[in-house]
Amino acid sequence: MSLTNLAKLEAESIHIFREVVAECENPVLLYSIGKDSAVLLHLAMKAFHPSKLPFPVLHVDTTWKFKEMIEFRDRMAAELNLKLIVHTNKEGVEQDIGPFSHGSAKYTDIMKTQALKQALDKYKFDAAFGGARRDEEKSRSKERVFSFRNGSHRWDPKNQRPEMWSIYNGRINKGESIRVFPLSNWTEADIWQYIYQEGIPIVPLYFAQERPVVERDGMLIMVDDDRMPLESGEKPELKRVRFRTLGCYPLTGAIESEADSLPDIIQETILAKTSERQGRVIDQDSTASMEKKKLEGYF
Amino acid sequence: MDDVVAPMELEQFIETQENKSLLRFITCGSVDDGKSTLIGRLLYDSQQIYDDQLASLEIDSKKVGTQGSEIDFALLVDGLSAEREQGITIDVAYRYFSTEGRKYIVADTPGHEQYTRNMATGASTADLAVILIDARKGVLTQTRRHSYIVSLLGVKNIILAINKMDLVAYSEEVFKSIEADYRSFADRIGLSDFCAIPISALAGDNIFDAGDNTAWYQGPTLMQQLETVEVTADEAAAAFRFPVQWVNRPNLDFRGFSGTVTSGQIKPGDAIAVLPSGVTSKVKNISTYDGDLDQASAGQAVTLVLHDEIDISRGDVLAAANDRPEVTDQFMAHLLWMADEPMLPSRPYMLKTANKSVSATVTALKHKIDVNTLAHDAGSSLELNELGVCNLFLGEPIAFDAFADNKQMGSFILIDGLTNNTIAMGMIDFGLRRADNIHWQPININKSARARIKDQSPAVLWFTGLSGSGKSTIADIVEQRLYARRNHTIILDGDNVRHGLNKDLGFTDTDRVENIRRIAETSKLMVDAGLMVLVSFISPFRAERRLARELMEEGEFVEIFINASLEVCADRDPKGLYEKAKKGEIKNFTGIDSPYENPEQAEIIIDSANLTPDKAADQIMLYLEENGYLSELDYQI
């Protein structure tokens, strides 16, 4: 009997996790609290069972995440007995860098990309697991499972190492690192089906519920705390919304939806007419914005 | 929502989604054969393009597209800015779409020869290959190159998509002629079982629907073929193989071996052998996060616990006890070279299999393969994108199966030890230690191979000079120094040659020449054996020393002139020979009544009148070191 699509994807991801742990000295799992991270973490637990997770979990906290995300993060860390590292760019906080005051591009660079690089350098991680999928975005569709980064964390998309079969090359010199993407071949629909099949806990923000939102530049932004400056005429409205993707609340658009259960979400996802990353302000700055960010060391 | 379906239907819907099968395929062929357009078309027709993507595609099509005001599907799949600017595909892009029954992963591979390694990356994980041909151009070099690589990688399902039929007026004749042309090549590389389909990726003919333009074609459309093709699971039927990835030892009570079953299946109680050690045991249980399993088969990632406490680590392979892989440290393999730096025999590389990294050298490039003509060309190295058949020698043995029998057990990559780049992919043909392959060995083992296992550069150190000049004393010290560095040496001098091999020779000029000729030939044999040969003979004539020099290869002959005047030597006279010669008791004594011709091109000249033998040896060792005869690493013993 041949394996189903999900069974094959699961086995491939587990193989990738084990390969990294066997070959790299100091790996880390980048945990962004979203649905992909939830699946990533679940697969990691499976890969090493009955051993504990043989690496720490790193959350780069921009201080602008949804409150429910942080609660969920701490709950998961306690339940799964994770070694959780939370890193925030202190200089960024001291300079009060925020998405409203500094614009999404600058804010993302300082509080996400720079913060991530700081954390990777600080703990000298030689491999970092990320939950990126190739179906998400054009430049990601080109990326290897083992994605080599030089000493400055830069990606060289024109000169990637060939990647044959499931033989991954994780060899690096001092200071270099590998970003590893066990979910490379998963699609958004696969993720939701797997969450449903496995009963994986996810942040409640993914389910439709009445939430206070304002419409800004064609996106529904949730007013998660009082740091959000309302423009004249803007008044938070209670709407039944959910999120297809989660990031920093000022940069993440909600969609109006009635889907408050996983089967509903799966159905909505399969019938969806827009891609999930459309809800991300940071991807829309320019055509090649993700490629540019990735070159600079973003995931 | 309006389109909410009833709960029962929803459950069924989700179950269908969960039970989809997976088909991975590549699109390949020459540049501009329309690969990207085809994938864009597949995504578009399978409605995998979202509204926001379509909106940006429409904008991009007008801005940089090649189809006028029409949608340029190719823009959907060229991801990088650099690629969009140049209008070419550099690296493989993976795309995803699904139908009712199947999920598809498409690897859109680059057509330029320069990026063959990226094409191979996409092909290595594919179950099926769609080989595109531009109907106007027919079979091109890249069509053949990609077909050859596809066949080499063991992809058995082939669709020959003859594209741009709209530009040849949907001519059946053109289609048939290209199909026949391709068949004549495909037959020679074992791809005879392919399905040829006339398509137009741009217009959509025979992609999802047949359309009206090719009424003469009765076969399946591209999608019909993709939907129904049987993805043969050869792996499930093959013998059980389980490369150990990671030893899972959470506490003293549990010791399991984590990995993915690459072929066959396994149940608790089954007998297994551990390779390379050959130790056997039985499976106790198959552990997973979701509980113990009754059985695991090819493709599943599990953790095996065995009955016996045996030493197993990453790199070992667990296999069916009654059907084991081979174990070898030498094999023949096909290599595709993927680095700018050429492959050089004897250069050390790192070889990585499914779960093991070992050092490796290519001992012989048997031949290169011209992908266009399939001719076997002689060569001494492989350049970027060249294919060849090589013998490899490993630092330690590995367990393997031939690639033809088991892809995952027969594949490897080569890694450059300095840059860590992946520089080649390899497919093992067979091991070289088996009795039936013994005939390979005499061809493969040559001077450099023999020298390599001794880790040295073979050479002749030819000490010449008058009797009493100090040749043997200095040669002895040099040999001791070399020995201390673990070099393999031999001294040829009067003691071991004149008394045996050359005991029939006297001291006439003729005999002296024959004496040196035999010593030179013997030295050559010993250099072929990989040794450092120290020859210590008066060897008074330039011609014979030149003869010896010319027998060796460039750089192998080091002439060392131990220079001391006749007076100094006669004064030393350690054996009292000069005394006897002067009295006429010895005839033809060099320097007395037979000439000594000073060397004109000696590599080293030792002023033995003013140097102690130790200092003389220092000078020789320095020369050897500076000229690459000694490996630096071994100096500290």
Side-chain angles (χ1 to χ4, degrees):
Chain A
M1 191 203 76
S2 78
L3 303 175
T4 63
N5 171 39
L6 285 182
K8 278 190 186 174
L9 292 172
E10 179 189 82
E12 180 182 72
S13 302
I14 288 175
H15 174 82
I16 294 164
F17 269 114
R18 289 170 172 171
E19 219 32 38
V20 171
V21 165
E23 295 239 303
C24 300
E25 282 178 17
N26 191 18
V28 66
L29 185 146
L30 267 293
Y31 181 62
S32 69
I33 319 176
K35 63 183 192 305
D36 301 304
S37 280
V39 169
L40 195 65
L41 192 54
H42 184 74
L43 289 164
M45 298 301 291
K46 282 197 168 192
F48 304 104
H49 176 86
S51 287
K52 285 197 293 189
L53 211 58
F55 42 76
V57 164
L58 171 68
H59 177 229
V60 174
D61 191 349
T62 59
T63 74
W64 290 89
K65 299 291 172 191
F66 290 91
K67 279 179 297 205
E68 283 179 74
M69 289 173 73
I70 302 299
E71 283 163 26
F72 182 85
R73 176 195 75 191
D74 294 341
R75 181 160 73 79
M76 292 311 292
E79 276 178 19
L80 298 176
N81 195 14
L82 304 176
K83 192 180 166 212
L84 176 69
I85 299 172
V86 177
H87 181 84
T88 300
N89 184 348
K90 290 208 183 61
E91 292 91 57
V93 173
E94 279 160 18
Q95 293 167 44
D96 237 352
I97 305 288
F100 296 116
S101 48
H102 293 79
S104 66
K106 190 168 185 188
Y107 158 77
T108 304
D109 178 55
I110 295 172
M111 297 308 286
K112 289 178 92 169
T113 308
Q114 299 307 327
L116 173 64
K117 291 201 270 188
Q118 282 173 358
L120 295 176
D121 289 340
K122 179 178 174 187
Y123 298 98
K124 298 190 166 32
F125 294 120
D126 56 356
F129 296 104
R133 311 186 319 264
R134 285 171 177 157
D135 82 320
E136 276 180 85
E137 195 275 332
K138 279 174 183 165
S139 63
R140 286 192 164 156
S141 75
K142 296 262 168 179
E143 192 153 20
R144 300 284 190 255
V145 173
F146 273 46
S147 184
F148 175 80
R149 299 301 155 102
N150 68 12
S152 328
H153 304 280
R154 288 183 70 90
W155 181 49
D156 182 0
K158 289 194 201 170
N159 198 18
Q160 299 194 82
R161 290 178 178 176
E163 193 164 80
M164 308 303 302
W165 303 289
S166 52
I167 306 179
Y168 300 105
N169 177 0
R171 295 180 73 86
I172 49 167
N173 288 322
K174 203 167 164 8
E176 299 165 343
S177 62
I178 302 278
R179 302 276 171 95
V180 184
F181 303 107
L183 304 181
S184 286
N185 286 318
W186 295 60
T187 62
E188 189 187 8
D190 296 328
I191 293 286
W192 283 118
Q193 273 151 26
Y194 191 69
I195 288 171
Y196 176 70
Q197 176 187 296
E198 299 283 306
I200 300 170
I202 51 170
V203 185
L205 290 162
Y206 285 111
F207 298 104
Q209 192 184 309
E210 286 205 329
R211 296 184 170 95
V213 292
V214 294
E215 193 174 333
R216 194 178 276 184
D217 302 328
M219 292 211 295
L220 292 174
I221 303 294
M222 179 172 158
V223 185
D224 196 47
D225 59 38
D226 54 14
R227 287 183 294 174
M228 179 163 167
L230 294 176
E231 287 161 21
S232 65
E234 267 184 353
K235 209 179 124 198
E237 271 181 273
L238 277 185
K239 281 191 175 163
R240 206 166 165 74
V241 296
R242 68 178 188 90
F243 295 86
R244 285 178 72 184
T245 174
L246 288 179
C248 301
Y249 82 81
L251 302 177
T252 308
I255 53 166
E256 288 193 73
S257 167
E258 294 294 326
D260 55 6
S261 72
L262 282 170
D264 288 343
I265 290 176
I266 294 172
Q267 196 204 6
E268 207 175 271
T269 304
I270 303 226
L271 303 174
K273 289 286 176 210
T274 53
S275 69
E276 61 185 318
R277 293 205 75 87
Q278 201 208 11
R280 297 262 191 160
V281 176
I282 55 167
D283 287 355
Q284 293 171 1
D285 293 344
S286 75
T287 346
S289 80
M290 178 64 87
E291 181 178 346
K292 191 166 163 288
K293 284 204 297 288
K294 285 177 66 62
L295 291 176
E296 290 158 0
Y298 182 73
F299 252 79
Chain B
M1 283 176 69
D2 297 334
D3 52 357
V4 171
V5 289
M8 195 53 213
E9 282 178 61
L10 189 56
E11 268 171 37
Q12 281 169 357
F13 170 76
I14 287 170
E15 204 184 305
T16 327
Q17 298 299 320
E18 278 179 2
N19 291 324
K20 277 181 187 178
S21 62
L22 177 65
L23 182 78
R24 301 182 70 136
F25 70 94
I26 59 163
T27 54
C28 55
S30 195
V31 183
D32 296 333
D33 282 349
K35 294 181 294 296
S36 299
T37 306
L38 175 66
I39 294 177
R41 165 64 69 179
L42 287 172
L43 297 178
Y44 186 77
D45 284 0
S46 66
Q47 296 176 336
Q48 301 285 316
I49 297 176
Y50 297 120
D51 289 348
D52 54 316
Q53 290 174 327
L54 193 59
S56 75
L57 176 65
E58 280 167 2
I59 296 168
D60 288 351
S61 293
K62 293 200 179 86
K63 211 159 59 180
V64 286
T66 56
Q67 301 300 324
S69 59
E70 298 288 306
I71 286 179
D72 185 352
F73 292 113
L75 291 180
L76 268 178
V77 289
D78 281 341
L80 304 172
S81 291
E83 295 179 321
R84 287 155 75 94
E85 282 155 14
Q86 294 172 41
I88 56 163
T89 308
I90 294 174
D91 214 324
V92 53
Y94 296 91
R95 300 289 159 182
Y96 303 81
F97 69 97
S98 56
T99 57
E100 289 276 294
R102 262 187 183 162
K103 174 188 166 179
Y104 294 93
I105 301 180
V106 195
D108 179 20
T109 65
H112 285 89
E113 181 182 351
Q114 191 188 345
Y115 305 119
T116 298
R117 60 184 173 208
N118 296 334
M119 177 270 167
T121 292
S124 71
T125 52
D127 304 310
L128 178 147
V130 177
I131 295 169
L132 271 102
I133 289 185
D134 183 335
R136 296 168 304 172
K137 296 179 187 161
V139 178
L140 301 174
T141 305
Q142 278 302 80
T143 320
R144 285 187 278 262
R145 166 176 286 271
H146 285 180
S147 298
Y148 190 83
I149 291 171
V150 157
S151 101
L152 204 59
L153 283 165
V155 181
K156 297 203 173 70
N157 295 297
I158 307 293
I159 296 176
L160 185 71
I162 301 177
N163 191 23
K164 306 197 184 182
M165 289 301 292
D166 51 322
L167 301 180
V168 293
Y170 296 99
S171 157
E172 181 178 10
E173 216 169 290
V174 171
F175 174 76
K176 291 276 183 216
S177 132
I178 293 174
E179 183 186 9
D181 190 17
Y182 185 78
R183 184 169 300 284
S184 66
F185 180 76
D187 280 346
R188 295 168 64 198
I189 56 171
L191 287 186
S192 35
D193 193 18
F194 63 86
C195 169
I197 307 176
I199 65 164
S200 166
L202 200 64
D205 301 279
N206 287 320
I207 306 295
F208 273 76
D209 300 317
D212 305 324
N213 294 314
T214 53
W216 45 266
Y217 172 74
Q218 304 302 323
T221 65
L222 183 65
M223 268 320 291
Q224 283 166 356
Q225 185 66 12
L226 290 174
E227 286 281 270
T228 54
V229 72
E230 189 112 349
V231 187
T232 46
D234 291 346
E235 288 83 11
F240 172 71
R241 299 285 184 264
F242 185 85
V244 175
Q245 262 189 298
W246 186 69
V247 179
N248 196 334
R249 204 166 23 180
N251 53 55
L252 291 174
D253 301 329
F254 187 95
R255 183 177 154 86
F257 306 100
S258 297
T260 301
V261 180
T262 58
S263 59
Q265 41 223 328
I266 192 80
K267 293 191 294 293
D270 284 356
I272 57 99
V274 184
L275 285 305
S277 72
V279 176
T280 57
S281 183
K282 279 185 175 159
V283 175
K284 192 167 164 195
N285 53 52
I286 304 169
S287 169
T288 75
Y289 177 91
D290 301 301
D292 288 355
L293 304 182
D294 296 334
Q295 180 182 319
S297 50
Q300 281 181 283
V302 296
T303 297
L304 299 181
V305 180
L306 304 180
H307 270 289
D308 307 286
E309 281 267 333
I310 45 179
D311 182 27
I312 297 174
S313 51
R314 173 175 168 84
D316 288 340
V317 174
L318 307 188
N322 59 0
D323 193 350
R324 306 180 187 190
E326 279 183 62
V327 172
T328 190
D329 60 0
Q330 291 176 60
F331 55 73
M332 187 176 101
H334 278 69
L335 276 192
L336 170 63
W337 199 253
M338 307 193 293
D340 295 330
E341 285 276 296
M343 180 282 280
L344 295 176
S346 298
R347 178 167 288 182
Y349 301 114
M350 181 66 69
L351 180 145
K352 190 177 178 195
T353 65
N355 65 337
K356 188 165 186 164
S357 297
V358 298
S359 66
T361 51
V362 175
T363 50
L365 171 60
K366 304 180 74 65
H367 59 259
K368 302 205 246 190
I369 298 161
D370 181 326
V371 291
N372 216 13
T373 62
L374 302 179
H376 291 184
D377 298 336
S380 56
S381 74
L382 288 176
E383 304 284 336
L384 176 67
N385 296 326
E386 284 190 330
L387 275 156
V389 175
C390 302
N391 288 344
L392 283 98
F393 180 70
L394 310 183
E396 55 182 296
I398 57 162
F400 79 98
D401 291 297
F403 183 81
D405 299 332
N406 193 320
K407 282 191 197 180
Q408 293 183 80
M409 286 292 294
S411 51
F412 63 88
I413 58 172
L414 292 182
I415 298 170
D416 184 289
L418 219 56
T419 64
N420 294 319
N421 282 332
T422 305
I423 51 177
M425 55 175 263
M427 287 130 293
I428 302 176
D429 294 312
F430 49 76
L432 291 174
R433 278 277 167 85
R434 294 185 307 200
D436 53 341
N437 291 316
I438 205 84
H439 58 277
W440 290 110
Q441 301 225 19
I443 307 167
N444 297 324
I445 295 176
N446 53 20
K447 178 162 57 183
S448 62
R450 293 182 202 104
R452 191 167 46 253
I453 60 166
K454 300 181 182 72
D455 196 22
Q456 65 185 26
S457 310
V460 176
L461 309 183
W462 191 283
F463 294 78
T464 173
L466 293 169
S467 175
S469 58
K471 298 181 298 299
S472 295
T473 313
I474 297 168
D476 277 347
I477 297 171
V478 170
E479 186 180 34
Q480 283 168 24
R481 303 259 183 103
L482 289 171
Y483 182 83
R485 297 175 52 118
R486 304 199 174 181
N487 284 110
H488 296 244
T489 56
I490 182 75
I491 286 195
L492 298 181
D493 64 12
D495 288 340
N496 59 13
V497 177
R498 280 261 178 209
H499 295 154
L501 176 66
N502 289 358
K503 70 179 174 191
D504 56 325
L505 300 178
F507 290 89
T508 63
D509 280 1
T510 321
D511 280 0
R512 279 176 180 272
V513 170
E514 176 59 12
N515 183 37
I516 297 303
R517 189 193 69 79
R518 291 186 195 176
I519 291 163
E521 290 288 354
T522 307
S523 302
K524 180 179 160 51
L525 289 174
M526 289 180 166
V527 165
D528 278 349
L531 297 175
M532 300 188 85
V533 187
L534 296 88
V535 176
S536 173
F537 275 85
I538 298 172
S539 45
F541 307 130
R542 279 185 203 122
E544 279 65 55
R545 294 195 301 260
R546 191 185 313 124
L547 176 146
R549 179 184 291 273
E550 284 168 1
L551 277 177
M552 312 300 163
E553 281 178 35
E554 185 75 29
E556 280 176 356
F557 190 84
V558 180
E559 189 170 352
I560 304 169
F561 177 30
I562 308 297
N563 190 11
S565 66
L566 184 63
E567 293 70 39
V568 171
C569 295
D571 199 35
R572 286 178 184 161
D573 200 11
K575 297 173 191 167
L577 296 174
Y578 283 95
E579 196 62 32
K580 288 182 181 167
K582 281 176 188 165
K583 289 179 185 161
E585 290 169 20
I586 303 176
K587 296 280 176 206
N588 298 323
F589 195 81
T590 305
I592 304 297
D593 53 354
S594 182
Y596 179 85
E597 300 170 2
N598 279 359
E600 289 172 334
Q601 50 176 351
E603 275 75 10
I604 306 172
I605 299 173
I606 300 290
D607 178 7
S608 102
N610 297 305
L611 285 178
T612 65
D614 267 323
K615 291 282 179 205
D618 285 349
Q619 189 184 333
I620 293 166
M621 292 301 287
L622 186 68
Y623 176 89
L624 295 178
E625 198 164 342
E626 285 177 348
N627 289 278
Y629 292 93
L630 306 177
S631 54
E632 287 169 37
L633 294 174
D634 293 344
Y635 205 59
Q636 309 228 336
I637 296 294

